[in-house]
Amino acid sequence: MDLDQGLRARLVEVGVELLQAEGHTALSLREIARRAGVSHGAPRRYFPTHLSLLSAIARAGFTALAAEVDTALTAAPPEPRARIVALSRAYTGFAATRRGMFELMFRHDLLQSGYLGLREAGLPLFRLLTGLVSEARPGGGQPPEVTAGVLWAALHGMAELRNWGSLQLATGASDPAPFLDAILTAHLGPDSGDDPA
């Protein structure tokens, strides 16, 4: 890796660390430059706008999420539903432990900006979920993309409500497992071990 690429990667790495430690409000170009040990103008050489730097940091989040999902799937049983459970737990777990990153990854302005193809960065995960849904519900009543989309929306919404504390306030429950089970049952049907009655 040449010096330019090394510094670019370092700025993103510092941004990821700062985001985890202090949240997205701390992500200024000046603060990232200071913590990276470079002049406050140096980031502009690689990231002409603040939005482009935030997009690079968010893209690192998609890479980290993909790695966590991959690890979860490697440890999961081979059955499609068990793999969907593992993917769902990894997704909502990432949201809970990396809240700032999770919020940044799905910020409307970043997704709309088109920097680094950020909107497309989540497509491999969605395709994976769609494939698993197709295997779990062969010949299901609707296209697997629709079921996967609704499942993703429910998981994402549950993760956000939980991060904000709204889900706990409304239900009095802090354990996400019953909510995950309910989401999967609602969109995939009962597990073969569940009593459908």
Side-chain angles (χ1 to χ4, degrees):
M1 181 183 299
D2 66 29
L3 188 59
D4 279 352
Q5 288 292 54
L7 181 52
R8 186 184 192 285
R10 177 70 184 135
L11 292 168
V12 171
E13 179 185 321
V14 167
V16 170
E17 291 167 0
L18 184 59
L19 178 62
Q20 185 66 16
E22 298 183 30
H24 65 88
T25 57
L27 290 177
S28 70
L29 288 171
R30 184 176 294 272
E31 182 60 16
I32 290 171
R34 187 185 74 75
R35 292 190 185 211
V38 297
S39 73
H40 70 271
R44 295 258 185 224
R45 182 172 172 192
Y46 308 98
F47 303 102
T49 65
H50 189 227
L51 211 57
S52 62
L53 176 55
L54 294 179
S55 295
I57 294 167
R59 190 168 185 87
F62 279 107
T63 299
L65 174 59
E68 289 191 20
V69 167
D70 187 53
T71 298
L73 292 179
T74 299
E79 295 79 23
R81 187 178 181 112
R83 293 170 62 76
I84 293 171
V85 169
L87 185 153
S88 300
R89 287 182 180 154
Y91 187 82
T92 56
F94 183 93
T97 59
R98 301 182 81 176
R99 290 179 59 175
M101 179 61 83
F102 191 74
E103 289 173 17
L104 184 69
M105 288 163 58
F106 294 101
R107 262 182 49 175
H108 178 73
D109 58 335
L110 297 186
L111 294 173
Q112 286 293 101
S113 74
Y115 282 119
L116 303 176
L118 197 57
R119 187 181 297 279
E120 291 76 21
L123 290 180
L125 184 59
F126 181 72
R127 289 188 190 113
L128 173 63
L129 179 58
T130 301
L132 290 172
V133 165
S134 183
E135 290 176 40
R137 296 186 62 198
Q142 58 192 1
E145 294 82 6
V146 172
T147 301
V150 175
L151 183 56
W152 179 26
L155 290 170
H156 192 88
M158 189 271 287
E160 288 282 23
L161 288 171
R162 192 164 168 252
N163 279 349
W164 297 333
S166 302
L167 190 61
Q168 298 88 315
L169 179 65
T171 66
S174 59
D175 181 5
F179 300 102
L180 281 174
D181 291 344
I183 288 169
L184 295 175
T185 299
H187 299 294
L188 299 176
D191 192 357
S192 56
D194 292 344
D195 181 359

